[in-house]
Amino acid sequence: MADFPPRVLIVSRRTVRKNKFVDFVGEYHLDLIVKYAALPVIVPRVSGVDNLLHSFEPIHGVLLCEGEDIEPSLYETEPSILSPQELEETKKTHADDTAIDKEKDSIDLKLAKLCLERNIPYLGICRGSQILNVACGGTLYQDIGKELSQTSPEVDTVTHINYENYDGHRHVIKLVEDTPLHHWFEESMDKETMEISVNSYHHQGVKKLARRFVPMAFTPDGLIEGFYDPEAYNPRKVSFESVYSFILSECGATAYKEFVRAVIAYQKKLYSTWDLKTSSIKKWR
């Protein structure tokens, strides 16, 4: 058994400060990872890092979190239903989010696929949930408001992002029975409707869910707000769209606690396998 905490990789995002690029990760993510006895390892989103991920071994878990919109060519197999004018309007309305970061896309996708190949525990938050869906063959709405109003005009309208009320804007989601979110919110949800109110800050979302995943929650307009991999250790592989309420609520703490518990178990498994191999080599010698 290793005498150091398990390592959880988190890819940074980029901003501009004093005319220079600065990489950062939201401290609330780091706080929760450390709180439950894992070590967050920040992966810088700079050119070439996607080919150096082996340098970050051992990898015991991966947290995929928020960031800019994902490059549409990575998931769009058909022409967008939005007109060039609508796409331009979307870029203006969501200017801070539509600036594509191809370096972060590349690093996040490689890490997601590494997790899937090696069964490494992962937790997807906001953009991270979208990355996981795309990595497994799913697709996204480039703009929820514009696309859902065209494809499903009969559904209830839900405001998924409100720039005037960044932290306080909320909408309801309906939980799917016998899923991780259902169990975590069982005491606080409305027992009759199975609904809870959550913060929301995203203009994109899951359009076609990848086949390996199962929904955990929906909004009244039919958008998937959470999903998980039922074939994996549950809730070792979970993804949420509405990020801040999960992080700041007791449920958010529970999600991170369960994630880190899976990370610790994965580290133990790796080292027990290594110990067996080392023992076999010694006996052979």
Side-chain angles (χ1 to χ4, degrees):
M1 175 60 188
D3 57 0
F4 56 85
R7 296 155 54 90
V8 175
L9 268 56
I10 311 172
V11 181
S12 67
R13 60 185 299 192
R14 185 169 71 175
T15 188
V16 177
R17 184 174 181 273
K18 296 182 179 179
N19 298 317
K20 294 182 177 64
F21 288 126
V22 176
D23 280 18
F24 72 99
V25 173
E27 193 169 303
Y28 36 79
H29 299 301
L30 306 178
D31 282 342
L32 286 168
I33 293 295
V34 171
K35 178 179 179 179
Y36 294 114
L39 175 68
V41 177
I42 299 176
V43 179
R45 50 78 43 236
V46 295
S47 180
V49 167
D50 57 338
N51 294 318
L52 297 172
L53 294 179
H54 61 279
S55 303
F56 292 90
E57 298 279 6
I59 302 170
H60 303 119
V62 173
L63 173 64
L64 297 164
C65 48
E66 68 270 7
E68 290 74 17
D69 290 354
I70 300 168
E71 168 61 53
S73 65
L74 294 172
Y75 59 84
E76 282 293 347
T77 56
E78 299 175 359
S80 173
I81 66 170
L82 299 179
S83 67
Q85 180 181 356
E86 288 173 317
L87 289 172
E88 191 58 36
E89 288 174 357
T90 298
K91 288 181 180 180
K92 290 179 180 178
T93 303
H94 307 287
D96 289 341
D97 299 310
T98 54
I100 303 298
D101 187 341
K102 292 186 178 181
E103 294 295 342
K104 184 169 173 61
D105 284 350
S106 178
I107 300 167
D108 276 345
L109 281 170
K110 282 198 173 184
L111 278 177
K113 291 175 181 178
L114 185 67
C115 289
L116 298 168
E117 289 168 5
R118 288 168 41 180
N119 206 29
I120 297 172
Y122 58 74
L123 177 62
I125 299 289
C126 199
R127 166 196 154 98
S129 68
Q130 298 171 12
I131 280 284
L132 288 165
N133 189 47
V134 169
C136 294
T139 63
L140 306 175
Y141 288 111
Q142 287 194 52
D143 187 77
I144 300 165
K146 285 183 169 58
E147 290 192 60
L148 276 181
S149 64
Q150 293 184 32
T151 58
S152 305
E154 73 286 352
V155 302
D156 296 334
T157 300
V158 176
T159 301
H160 291 272
I161 190 168
N162 183 344
Y163 290 108
E164 301 301 318
N165 190 17
Y166 178 83
D167 289 317
H169 174 64
R170 304 175 75 79
H171 62 59
V172 299
I173 61 173
K174 187 178 181 67
L175 306 180
V176 178
E177 191 172 3
D178 200 28
T179 62
L181 285 188
H182 173 229
H183 296 313
W184 296 340
F185 273 118
E186 199 161 8
E187 296 302 316
S188 58
M189 72 178 185
D190 184 308
K191 299 297 189 295
E192 292 185 6
T193 64
M194 290 187 64
E195 290 181 342
I196 58 172
S197 182
V198 299
N199 290 22
S200 181
Y201 185 84
H202 61 103
H203 82 100
Q204 296 195 315
V206 172
K207 184 175 184 179
K208 183 186 77 175
L209 185 64
R211 293 181 64 181
R212 73 181 296 149
F213 298 126
V214 173
M216 295 193 295
F218 294 88
T219 45
D221 58 9
L223 190 73
I224 296 171
E225 288 279 325
F227 55 88
Y228 74 112
D229 183 351
E231 298 301 319
Y233 174 78
N234 185 15
R236 163 182 186 154
K237 299 182 176 181
V238 180
S239 299
F240 313 117
E241 189 58 78
S242 296
V243 51
Y244 294 102
S245 65
F246 290 120
I247 291 174
L248 300 177
S249 72
E250 191 58 37
C251 169
T254 301
Y256 277 73
K257 183 178 181 179
E258 294 294 333
F259 169 58
V260 173
R261 188 170 70 173
V263 168
I264 292 171
Y266 183 79
Q267 183 196 35
K268 288 180 180 178
K269 180 181 176 182
L270 281 186
Y271 279 94
S272 63
T273 303
W274 174 254
D275 288 342
L276 284 173
K277 288 181 178 178
T278 303
S279 176
S280 297
I281 291 171
K282 287 179 178 177
K283 288 180 181 178
W284 183 81
R285 285 178 177 174

